[in-house]
Structure formats: C-alpha cells, structure tokens
C-alpha cells in the first residue's frame, strides 16, 4: 500500500536517495537485538529474525512490503502493539548520515536527535541507514484468529461492544478490525451492499486460554475454536499478510513483488478516538461506506491501551498514548484512471473525515504521521517555512512534542537541507 508521496511529486529540484541495497539483517540472539539496514522491507527483517530464533520477535507492522526505514521513523504499529508498544518504542541505536556527511550513532548524534528520529517522521534529520532494534520474547505457539461478521445490524452491535472493551483487554491480546462493504449490486435498480466487519486478533498464548478471555471480556463476538489457529510468531506474520496456509517464511524474501495484498491508488487519513463513538455515528459511517459503488475502500480500527497506555507520551515523539481507545485509519482505494475518478474518491474520504470531526480527539485533532496527510497543511514551496506555520500540521502528528522535534532539527540540520512538504523545520522561536 502506497501513501501520499512528498518530494518525488515536488515541482522543485530534489534529491532522492535509494537505499534498496542496504538490506542486511544481523540478529544477535544472546542480546535479543538486531542491526537492520534501512533499505530492508519488514518481510526481510522478520525472515532474518525467524532464521535465528523461534522465540524472538519484533513488534512492527503486518505488511511485509513496507520499508523498515520509514516504518520505524514514524512509529510503526502491528499485532503486538498492546503487549510491546510500537516499533519505534523498540529502537536501541541507529546510524544517521547528517547534512555534513557524517555517520553518527546514538552517542555521536546526541539523545535529543536520537529521540527525534524514533517516531518523528523520516527525511527530516538526516538519512537513517540502519537501526538497532530490540527483540521481544514470545512463546513458541501463539493464537491468531479471524472472525467475520456481516449485516449492518450485526456489525453495529458487535462493533459497539468491541469499542467499549478493546483498550481494556489483557495486554497479550490485540484485535484489529477492518470495516468495508461487499456484494455491491444494482440488480433491482437500486444500489445495495453488505456491511462487513473482519476481526483479526493475535493472542500471546494458547487457544483455550484465549477463548476464556473472550468469553469473559468480549462475548458478543462469539469467538469459537474454529475461528482460531495456533502458530509460531513468524507464521502469524504470513497469516495476517494474507499468504496461503501452506506458505513458508522463505516467501517473505520475495515480498517486494509477491505479497498478496497490494493496492493501486490510496488516500489515507487517520484519527484517534478517546471515547466510544455513539451508535448514530457508526450508522453514519456505514451510510458513507455504502456510497462507493466499487473498490476496496475501508476503515481499520487499531487498538490502544495495554502497554501503549503505560509508555509516556513524551518517551518518543509518538504522543498518542494513555486516553486513546483506538486509532481509525480511513482508506480510499481505487484503480481506475482519470481525474474525475480520483476527485470522487478524495471527496468521499474528506467528507467522511469531516463527519467524524465532533467525535474524535480535539485540540489538536490527532493524526498518525505514517499515514501522511497533506490535507493537514504543508511547508511553503521553494522557501522557508516558519516553526509557527508548521505547528498547524505538526502538532496534529506530535502534539506537545513538536517543539522538541524542531529544536532537535535546529541542532542537527540548521540549514534545513533535509526537507519536504511536511518535514519538521528548525526551531526559530
């Protein structure tokens, strides 16, 4: 899945650095760590970890084609989010090439810059060429499940219960929810479709224990043993990425070109929800999902709570911690060419975003930088953008951490050599 581009779409001259040949993954099992070069995709990282150990994992995303450099730079969430936080929470060191061409590790760049590159967005402070990541211990067998619920009435009921418990479940359990419409038809002269909710979960433990947890905490889903599969952590990566049941983790080495889930054109927006949405709002969202007569546009609900609530909102630049129930990812997805088609999908996602405004986080309305959204604002074209101006979008991504990010930028790159439409400008007071 590709999000909005920045410099490659610029009308100004720019420099594009290709890191594709920096793909080495070196795992050190005794220290539970790994040095990962920034040009590797997550599939290659996970393959390297699994080749070294069956009980170590890295808490990052479920899309194997995503580059680890940008993923970690903006945060990086996955199915271990409630147990171990996001990817950027699990960085121990890094190598950064600054505007002067120096290669700096954590000690050389200083703690403020090291803090900034872990979730402060890529392409702002220099070029991260490698990360030293913390590997977490997982059991040999975990439990993954998929439960699909359809019909508007059923989806509304189950989702409403889900949003009241998702942040309060045991840390060992993370549930990702995808909402979309299927079976679109105009057979009777009137557009019809079926609302679908796909609940996918990962439990760090056995199926029997999971079923007990679900019966007590989320009985409305009516999860059964038939919905569940016990597997290793690396098998769960394949499972959530949509690979066939008989796939081996060696296929992750080909994930740059062969991953099952790929889209053509995508516009994404994001929100953070601090209190469950009223049922009337859910019904309003469904109504707007019915508006698209084709294409795989969808919403994803990413759980918070657990470890995410215990990590300080200033530990790294990613500030969306305690008080957030879940994150919403809105996706408009289409494949047909043409400006009119593009406008239709962009208008749709912007209307949906406007509709949810009263019911999500405020002052500022939060957003996730790895779902880059230039609708929030952008730097001036071809000239310096002031810190004050950049706060308009910067505080949506980083809240109170934005000033510290700008001060780190002033320390490492005062001339603003590394910049794009939403890079953090140097602090100028």
């Amino acid at each position: 899945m590709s999000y909005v581009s920045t410099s490659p779409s610029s009308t100004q001259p720019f420099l594009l650095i290709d890191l594709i040949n920096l793909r080495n993954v070196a795992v050190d099992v005794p220290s539970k760590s790994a040095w990962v070069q920034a040009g590797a995709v997550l599939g290659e990282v996970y393959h390297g970890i699994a080749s070294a150990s069956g009980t170590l994992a890295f808490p990052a995303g479920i899309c194997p084609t995503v580059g680890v450099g940008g993923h970690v730079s903006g945060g990086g969430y996955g199915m271990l989010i409630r147990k171990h936080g996001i990817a950027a929470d699990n960085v121990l060191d890094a190598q950064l090439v600054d505007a002067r061409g120096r290669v700096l590790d954590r000690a050389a760049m200083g703690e403020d810059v090291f803090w900034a590159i872990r979730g402060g967005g890529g392409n702002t402070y220099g070029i991260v060429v490698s990360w030293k990541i913390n590997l977490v211990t997982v059991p040999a067998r975990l439990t993954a499940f998929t439960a699909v619920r359809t019909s508007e009435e059923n989806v509304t009921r189950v989702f409403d219960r889900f949003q009241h418990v998702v942040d309060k479940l045991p840390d060992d359990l993370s549930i990702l929810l995808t909402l979309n419409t299927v079976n679109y038809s105009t057979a009777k002269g009137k557009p019809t479709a079926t609302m679908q909710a796909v609940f996918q979960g990962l439990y760090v433990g056995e199926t029997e224990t999971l079923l007990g947890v679900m019966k007590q905490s989320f009985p409305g889903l009516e999860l059964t043993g038939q919905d569940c599969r016990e597997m290793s952590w690396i098998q769960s990566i394949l499972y959530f990425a949509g690979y066939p049941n008989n796939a081996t983790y060696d296929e992750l080495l080909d994930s740059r070109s062969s991953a099952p889930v790929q889209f053509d054109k995508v516009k994404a927006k994001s929100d953070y929800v601090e209190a469950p949405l009223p049922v009337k709002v859910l019904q309003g969202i469904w109504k707007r999902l019915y508006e698209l007569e084709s294409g795989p546009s969808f919403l994803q609900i990413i759980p918070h709570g657990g470890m995410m609530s215990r990590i300080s909102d200033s530990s790294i630049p990613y500030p969306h911690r305690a008080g957030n129930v879940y994150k919403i990812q809105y996706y408009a997805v289409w494949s047909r060419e043409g400006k009119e088609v593009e406008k239709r999908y962009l208008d749709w996602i912007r209307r949906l975003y406007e509709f949810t405004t009263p019911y999500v986080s405020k002052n500022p309305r939060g957003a996730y930088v790895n779902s880059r959204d230039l609708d929030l604002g952008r730097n001036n074209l071809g000239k310096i953008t002031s810190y004050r101006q950049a706060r308009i979008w910067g505080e949506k991504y980083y809240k109170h951490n934005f000033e510290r990010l700008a001060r780190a930028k002033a320390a490492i790159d005062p001339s603003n050599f590394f910049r794009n439409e939403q890079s953090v400008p140097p602090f100028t007071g």
Side-chain angles (χ1 to χ4, degrees):
M1 183 183 298
S2 298
Y3 296 95
V4 65
S5 60
T6 51
S7 291
S9 62
S10 175
T11 58
Q12 301 293 309
F14 64 90
L15 181 65
L16 184 64
I17 306 296
D18 188 353
L19 301 179
I20 193 170
N21 291 323
L22 298 179
R23 297 162 56 182
N24 187 56
V25 178
V27 177
D28 182 52
V29 173
S31 69
K32 297 181 181 179
S33 66
W35 274 102
V36 177
Q37 290 187 316
V41 296
L42 290 179
E44 293 166 335
V45 175
Y46 296 152
H47 183 276
I49 295 169
S51 297
S53 171
T55 56
L56 291 178
F58 181 49
I62 61 174
C63 298
T65 59
V66 170
V68 69
H71 186 66
V72 175
S73 294
Y77 60 85
M79 297 304 291
L80 291 172
I81 182 172
R82 302 188 67 256
K83 180 73 172 179
H84 296 290
I86 57 177
D89 291 324
N90 290 275
V91 173
L92 304 172
D93 203 342
Q95 290 184 317
L96 174 78
V97 180
D98 71 359
R100 295 165 57 186
R102 299 176 299 174
V103 180
L104 309 174
D105 63 6
R106 176 175 183 171
M109 72 180 77
E111 286 301 306
D112 284 342
V113 174
F114 180 65
W115 174 86
I117 64 176
R118 293 175 293 152
N123 309 318
T124 287
Y125 307 96
I127 303 170
V128 175
V129 293
S130 62
W131 300 102
K132 185 179 182 181
I133 57 175
N134 174 59
L135 304 180
V136 300
T137 301
V138 294
R141 305 293 288 177
L142 300 84
T143 302
F145 68 82
T146 299
V148 181
R149 302 293 179 261
T150 58
S151 85
E152 182 173 330
E153 180 180 357
N154 193 27
V155 168
T156 302
R157 176 182 58 82
V158 179
F159 181 91
D160 188 41
R161 180 56 185 159
F162 168 77
Q163 65 173 348
H164 281 83
V165 303
V166 65
D167 63 322
K168 304 175 185 66
L169 296 170
D171 295 5
D172 288 330
L173 176 58
S174 294
I175 303 176
L176 173 72
L177 171 59
T178 302
L179 299 159
N180 66 336
T181 54
V182 294
N183 302 326
Y184 181 84
S185 174
T186 56
K188 298 181 180 180
K190 180 180 179 181
T192 61
T194 301
M195 180 60 58
Q196 175 177 268
V198 181
F199 294 86
Q200 291 187 297
L202 182 67
Y203 180 67
V204 185
E206 299 177 347
T207 300
E208 183 178 356
T209 307
L210 167 64
L211 292 176
V213 169
M214 293 295 287
K215 185 176 181 179
Q216 178 179 357
S217 302
F218 189 16
L221 187 59
E222 299 178 344
L223 191 73
T224 70
Q226 292 182 330
D227 300 319
C228 304
R229 284 180 52 198
E230 289 191 7
M231 60 186 69
S232 65
W233 168 73
I234 195 63
Q235 288 172 326
S236 77
I237 296 297
L238 296 165
Y239 175 86
F240 292 118
Y243 283 87
N245 290 342
N246 61 354
T248 68
Y249 73 89
D250 284 340
E251 295 186 43
L252 293 172
L253 294 178
D254 299 322
S255 59
R256 291 176 183 269
S257 58
S258 64
V261 180
Q262 299 188 41
F263 299 113
D264 292 326
K265 300 174 179 63
V266 178
K267 167 64 178 178
K269 299 179 82 68
S270 59
D271 263 322
Y272 289 86
V273 175
E274 298 173 338
L277 302 177
V279 169
K280 68 176 183 179
V281 177
L282 302 182
Q283 294 169 338
I285 293 173
W286 309 162
K287 177 181 177 181
R288 285 157 177 79
L289 281 170
Y290 287 135
E291 291 179 7
L292 290 179
E293 78 269 20
S294 62
S297 297
F298 62 99
L299 272 66
Q300 273 193 337
I301 309 299
I302 295 92
H304 276 52
M307 181 60 73
M308 291 296 285
S309 293
R310 293 193 294 277
I311 297 175
S312 165
D313 61 5
S314 58
S315 173
I316 63 172
Y318 182 94
H320 312 289
R321 304 289 186 170
N324 290 287
V325 179
Y326 54 84
K327 179 166 75 76
I328 303 177
Q329 289 279 132
Y330 312 89
Y331 293 104
V333 184
W334 68 100
S335 57
R336 288 180 293 165
E337 299 290 340
K339 290 293 184 181
E340 290 186 6
V341 175
E342 178 180 296
K343 182 179 184 302
R344 177 183 172 198
Y345 282 88
L346 294 179
D347 287 347
W348 172 79
I349 195 171
R350 288 164 180 159
R351 289 197 310 272
L352 176 57
Y353 187 75
E354 182 179 0
F355 169 72
T356 58
T357 300
Y359 310 103
V360 297
S361 62
K362 300 175 179 66
N363 302 317
R365 182 178 187 172
Y368 177 49
V369 70
N370 271 1
S371 298
R372 183 76 68 180
D373 185 2
L374 296 182
D375 291 347
L376 303 180
R378 62 181 71 196
N379 293 327
N380 295 327
L381 183 63
K383 57 182 179 179
I384 298 297
T385 299
S386 70
Y387 165 77
R388 185 179 298 275
Q389 179 184 338
R391 285 178 58 189
I392 296 171
W393 56 264
E395 291 186 350
K396 296 180 187 297
Y397 291 137
Y398 309 114
K399 295 189 176 182
H400 57 280
N401 291 328
F402 187 63
E403 180 177 329
R404 184 177 174 187
L405 286 170
R407 290 183 181 277
K409 171 71 170 180
I412 191 72
D413 184 20
S415 67
N416 204 25
F417 178 82
F418 293 102
R419 64 186 184 275
N420 58 54
E421 285 85 334
Q422 281 191 347
S423 58
V424 177
F427 183 81
T428 54

